[in-house]
Amino acid sequence: MNKDILLRFKDSEKFFICPICKKSFILYKNSLICTNKHCFDISKYGYVNFVSHTRQQKNYDKQSFENRKIILESGFYSHILNKVIEILKHMDTVKTILDVGCGEGFYSRQISELTDKNMIGFDISKDSIQLAAKSDQNHSVKWFVGDLTKLPLQDHSIDGILDIFSPANYEEFHRILTDNGYLIKIIPGNDHLKELREKAKEYLKNKEYSNQRIITYMKQYFSVICQKKVTASFKISSKEREIFIHMTPLLFHVDKEKIDWTDVDCLTIEAEILIGRVMTS
């Protein structure tokens, strides 16, 4: 196995715990082994699968993650990435960051390359993590397949959590964050993909989108110390439009063949960035 891949996991005892018995790990040859001898192999691609049985999520197959990789690397979400990097460069106390639901790993790879942060990325999808690890030419990120409800991470071992367009588990976030840790949660802005929403509005359950419910729920668990909106509009090709139509959860329950999309040649990508601190009593 590539020695650089193994080096990703050399300090695993600082972060990971066995999902079976909660004991810490050591790196032994090509595996992570806990004190009770539970063993999890490091894939030749550079990730660890901590989930014994993963169920393929509808609409999130290997092709969907490859399509997302195309869109992300084409720059459509670069304004979001750049703002996150700007924020992180001012967070001197944040050394290790967990990327929640990292998908194909675009944000983790970029942040690892452009900052001094130690990145750990996970997703429930083995296909997405395999793609993320294969794309990590610098072997700089610790990738793992994991369950958001039962993270294989030690209490108070993570300085920052990055949650980009992904579900949250605030109890687990509290458990793994240090006392001075931060949560950076990024959610769709109210105008996100408004062009697609307008075309599909008669087929959508909610004609207008509002992210206020998500913000309100987060504030029950974290003190939101900063909130920023980032938005940009892009010209798109017919191929890019097709990828967006099939990758956005907005249209998962819409019969896309019933809609004429041909006049959609521009898309708005908008996000709200919420920076939270653990609430103290």
Side-chain angles (χ1 to χ4, degrees), residues 3-236:
K3 289 183 179 180
D4 289 335
I5 286 176
L6 293 179
L7 283 174
R8 295 183 195 179
F9 295 94
K10 63 180 173 56
D11 56 353
S12 292
E13 73 281 356
K14 295 180 181 178
F15 305 107
F16 294 109
I17 53 172
C18 175
I20 299 171
C21 67
K22 311 301 182 188
K23 300 296 184 181
S24 61
F25 284 111
I26 61 167
L27 175 64
Y28 179 73
K29 294 185 177 179
N30 297 339
S31 302
L32 296 181
I33 301 177
C34 78
T35 52
N36 283 330
K37 309 302 182 185
H38 298 124
C39 180
F40 294 84
D41 294 334
I42 299 171
S43 158
K44 65 180 180 180
Y45 300 117
Y47 69 89
V48 180
N49 187 351
F50 287 119
V51 180
S52 55
H53 300 287
T54 59
R55 184 176 61 189
Q56 182 64 54
Q57 294 177 292
K58 187 180 179 182
N59 300 303
Y60 291 98
D61 57 12
K62 186 176 182 179
Q63 184 61 52
S64 73
F65 288 111
E66 289 175 347
N67 284 338
R68 282 171 169 75
K69 187 172 186 289
I70 292 171
I71 291 298
L72 287 163
E73 292 184 351
S74 294
F76 289 101
Y77 288 76
S78 291
H79 56 301
I80 299 174
L81 170 66
N82 292 338
K83 181 57 69 173
V84 170
I85 288 175
E86 178 187 319
I87 291 167
L88 290 175
K89 284 183 175 179
H90 288 89
M91 291 183 170
D92 295 337
T93 60
V94 174
K95 305 298 184 184
T96 300
I97 300 171
L98 177 70
D99 187 358
V100 172
C102 68
E104 68 301 305
F106 171 77
Y107 293 99
S108 283
R109 289 194 306 274
Q110 294 295 318
I111 292 168
S112 179
E113 291 175 11
L114 298 172
T115 73
D116 61 352
K117 308 305 182 184
N118 178 27
M119 297 300 299
I120 302 174
F122 88 95
D123 202 287
I124 190 63
S125 166
K126 180 180 175 181
D127 285 338
S128 72
I129 290 299
Q130 188 173 98
L131 180 60
K134 283 182 177 180
S135 302
D136 185 7
Q137 299 300 314
N138 292 329
H139 310 300
S140 57
V141 181
K142 295 178 178 66
W143 305 105
F144 71 92
V145 182
D147 184 347
L148 181 62
T149 67
K150 198 167 47 177
L151 292 171
L153 293 164
Q154 296 184 24
D155 294 355
H156 312 304
S157 60
I158 303 296
D159 303 311
I161 293 174
L162 184 62
D163 184 331
I164 302 179
F165 294 167
S166 291
N169 185 322
Y170 293 122
E171 288 84 358
E172 278 291 85
F173 290 177
H174 272 254
R175 181 182 68 79
I176 65 174
L177 274 176
T178 59
D179 290 341
N180 295 315
Y182 291 88
L183 166 63
I184 301 175
K185 183 164 179 61
I186 302 177
I187 61 177
N190 291 339
D191 284 339
H192 185 56
L193 301 180
K194 63 182 180 180
E195 297 84 0
L196 298 183
R197 178 176 290 280
E198 177 62 26
K199 292 291 290 187
K201 62 183 179 182
E202 66 178 290
Y203 302 100
L204 298 176
K205 182 178 179 181
N206 297 314
K207 309 303 181 186
E208 302 293 333
Y209 172 73
S210 172
N211 56 26
Q212 190 55 50
R213 181 181 60 83
I214 302 173
I215 297 171
T216 300
Y217 186 61
M218 176 181 168
K219 287 180 177 178
Q220 294 178 27
Y221 294 88
F222 283 83
S223 298
V224 175
I225 60 173
C226 185
Q227 183 172 340
K228 299 176 180 289
K229 180 183 291 184
V230 289
T231 185
S233 295
F234 300 90
K235 286 287 187 181
I236 57 170

